[in-house]
Amino acid sequence: MLIPCPLCGARETHEFVFLGDADRRRPDGEDVAAHVAAVYLRDNPAGPHRELWYHAYGCHGCILVTRDTRDHAIADAVMA
């Protein structure tokens, strides 16, 4: 899969570090059940999904990628 870095151009995924779901929100406070749910009970969506990637072997930028989880097609990539 090629990730289109806005600064460096299209690069292979081995240059990047996956940072996770860009839309996930961590719970506030000390509610243990809310923290367990946030860590272990996540959805696995099919379709467009926003992710954060760090360009470790390039410009060292964080990139917000919109990727379809069904076919890995990247619709958008912008600096985060």
Side-chain angles (χ1 to χ4, degrees):
M1 180 171 76
L2 293 175
I3 296 177
C5 176
L7 298 177
C8 304
R11 299 290 193 260
E12 291 284 343
T13 55
H14 70 269
E15 290 191 16
F16 295 86
V17 175
F18 179 67
L19 298 179
D21 182 355
D23 295 324
R24 188 167 58 126
R25 299 289 174 243
R26 280 106 179 130
D28 292 330
E30 298 179 13
D31 182 10
V32 174
H35 284 277
V36 168
V39 172
Y40 296 108
L41 305 177
R42 291 184 256 158
D43 292 332
N44 188 10
H49 184 67
R50 292 172 11 120
E51 305 168 333
L52 284 172
W53 291 80
Y54 172 66
H55 198 176
Y57 294 101
C59 64
H60 299 281
C62 283
I63 301 168
L64 180 62
V65 175
T66 303
R67 180 178 64 89
D68 192 320
T69 58
R70 295 170 291 197
D71 60 3
H72 301 292
I74 294 177
D76 191 30
V78 296
M79 297 305 286

